[in-house]
Amino acid sequence: LFCTAQLQPFFESINASLFLTSSTTFKMTSHAETKIDCSKVYVKQSTFSNEDTGMFDGAFAACDIKEGELVEKGLMRRLPEGFDGNTCPYIFTWSTERPNKTWGMGSGCAPYYNTCKEGTANTKMVRFFDEDRFEIYATRDIKAGDELLHTYISLKWRTCFQELNEIVHANSDDSEHKSES
């Protein structure tokens, strides 16, 4: 609830731009002009969700995707200054600054990619902080129906990910876990 309450003013500030009148016309753009494209991805219940972890969604490949291929591209909407992303796992770290003070909401299916241990993800998000956009690429061949995973850049230090980080690294030996800290 804290996360939702924090986001309320942000949603209210953009609310007017979300509604279109019936007289609005749409111009189709070429694929190159498209800012958001998640046509190779769909969202359904994650393969990691169960009674113990709780039920949650994940992103999945809608088609076969080759290593190095663009999986998805999208935009990031920066959240208001003062927002604390350490308390809300549903938003993105949007800078290289530590401690991080810039947070964003991702478009498309990006918010539904679950995380995994570093080096095991089948996707990688490339962030263009100065342009408020991202691209997600396949790190290996992905089959249609596979769940899409990437390692959250803030997995090890965000307080809202503390328990998740412990779960992700549960099978790591002590020396490996310490070297990742």
Side-chain angles (χ1 to χ4, degrees):
L1 290 176
F2 180 73
C3 179
T4 305
Q6 258 189 320
L7 291 173
Q8 186 71 29
F10 172 73
F11 285 125
E12 289 172 357
S13 72
I14 64 166
N15 195 29
S17 66
L18 296 177
F19 296 98
L20 302 173
T21 66
S22 59
S23 62
T24 303
T25 57
F26 297 93
K27 174 187 172 255
M28 294 302 292
T29 61
S30 72
H31 183 70
E33 294 173 329
T34 303
K35 292 182 177 184
I36 300 170
D37 181 0
C38 52
S39 58
K40 297 177 187 174
V41 183
Y42 64 93
V43 174
K44 69 175 190 175
Q45 185 175 320
S46 173
T47 59
F48 297 103
S49 71
N50 58 49
E51 289 181 19
D52 292 333
T53 62
M55 304 313 260
F56 56 91
D57 293 326
F60 291 80
C63 58
D64 290 347
I65 303 169
K66 296 286 183 198
E67 180 179 351
E69 189 177 331
L70 181 68
V71 176
E72 177 175 355
K73 65 180 179 177
L75 300 174
M76 194 65 58
R77 184 160 308 230
R78 290 177 190 241
L79 295 171
E81 191 173 320
F83 184 89
D84 184 6
N86 285 300
T87 61
C88 183
Y90 305 111
I91 52 121
F92 290 82
T93 304
W94 201 244
S95 76
T96 56
E97 173 184 45
R98 300 295 175 265
N100 187 71
K101 296 176 187 154
T102 308
W103 308 96
M105 290 179 55
S107 66
C109 296
Y112 295 95
Y113 287 60
N114 288 310
T115 196
C116 60
K117 190 173 161 184
E118 217 169 317
T120 63
N122 57 7
T123 69
K124 177 173 180 56
M125 178 182 275
V126 178
R127 295 161 175 84
F128 300 92
F129 296 121
D130 58 332
E131 300 173 30
D132 287 337
R133 67 182 186 89
F134 62 87
E135 295 175 351
I136 299 174
Y137 291 91
T139 59
R140 61 176 175 261
D141 289 351
I142 300 170
K143 295 281 186 203
D146 285 355
E147 186 159 4
L148 302 172
L149 305 170
H150 74 96
T151 304
Y152 301 164
I153 63 172
S154 58
L155 178 62
K156 297 174 191 162
W157 56 265
R158 273 174 70 186
T159 52
C160 62
F161 290 150
Q162 184 176 0
E163 185 177 344
L164 179 60
N165 185 38
E166 291 172 11
I167 293 167
V168 167
H169 293 99
N171 295 329
S172 300
D173 64 29
D174 289 340
S175 61
E176 180 182 344
H177 192 255
K178 288 177 185 171
S179 68
E180 290 178 358
S181 299

